[in-house]
Amino acid sequence: FFRDEEPIAFNLFPTRNSKRISKGYSAEQRATSLKSLYDDLPVIRAPGLSAIKQVTMYKCFLPNAPDDKKYFYPKPPDAAFAENEERLKNKRKLQLEKEAAKRKKSSD
């Protein structure tokens, strides 16, 4: 259940995995403990999309997206564009080095 919803009635008796946690709890105490469980959990930040994926979606998918769905593809920050350009530059450099080594090997 979600925080703002009323809890759904279900079996509150301890399960095999939670027996050590709920030892000595009555059904009401266990229900209270379960309700406050979500407030006690640490919040983990969502990882989001990588810079490469953000730029690709913005450049490739945005032009083809229907007008009512364009909000799915916001413009990435300038740092994402710069990171993507740097990655592509390094990738091209490695490809050229591989091709040069292959040509040199085949000419020998």
Side-chain angles (χ1 to χ4, degrees), residues 4 10 44 49 51 62:
D4 299 333
F10 58 93
I44 300 173
L49 295 174
L62 181 67

Side-chain angles (χ1 to χ4, degrees), residues 6-26:
E6 288 296 317
I8 301 168
F10 58 93
N11 186 358
L12 296 173
F13 293 110
T15 61
R16 182 181 56 168
N17 295 330
S18 67
K19 276 190 179 179
R20 64 182 169 80
I21 296 171
S22 62
K23 247 183 199 170
Y25 278 14
S26 67

Side-chain angles (χ1 to χ4, degrees), residues 19-71:
K19 276 190 179 179
R20 64 182 169 80
I21 296 171
S22 62
K23 247 183 199 170
Y25 278 14
S26 67
E28 293 81 25
Q29 290 171 329
R30 184 164 164 75
T32 305
S33 175
L34 287 173
K35 285 179 189 176
S36 67
L37 176 69
Y38 294 106
D39 297 329
D40 299 338
L41 293 175
V43 177
I44 300 173
R45 193 176 137 274
L49 295 174
S50 67
I52 298 164
K53 190 68 173 178
Q54 287 177 2
V55 172
T56 303
M57 289 179 71
Y58 181 74
K59 285 184 174 180
C60 298
F61 297 132
L62 181 67
N64 301 321
D67 290 334
D68 61 333
K69 304 292 185 205
K70 288 194 187 254
Y71 64 91

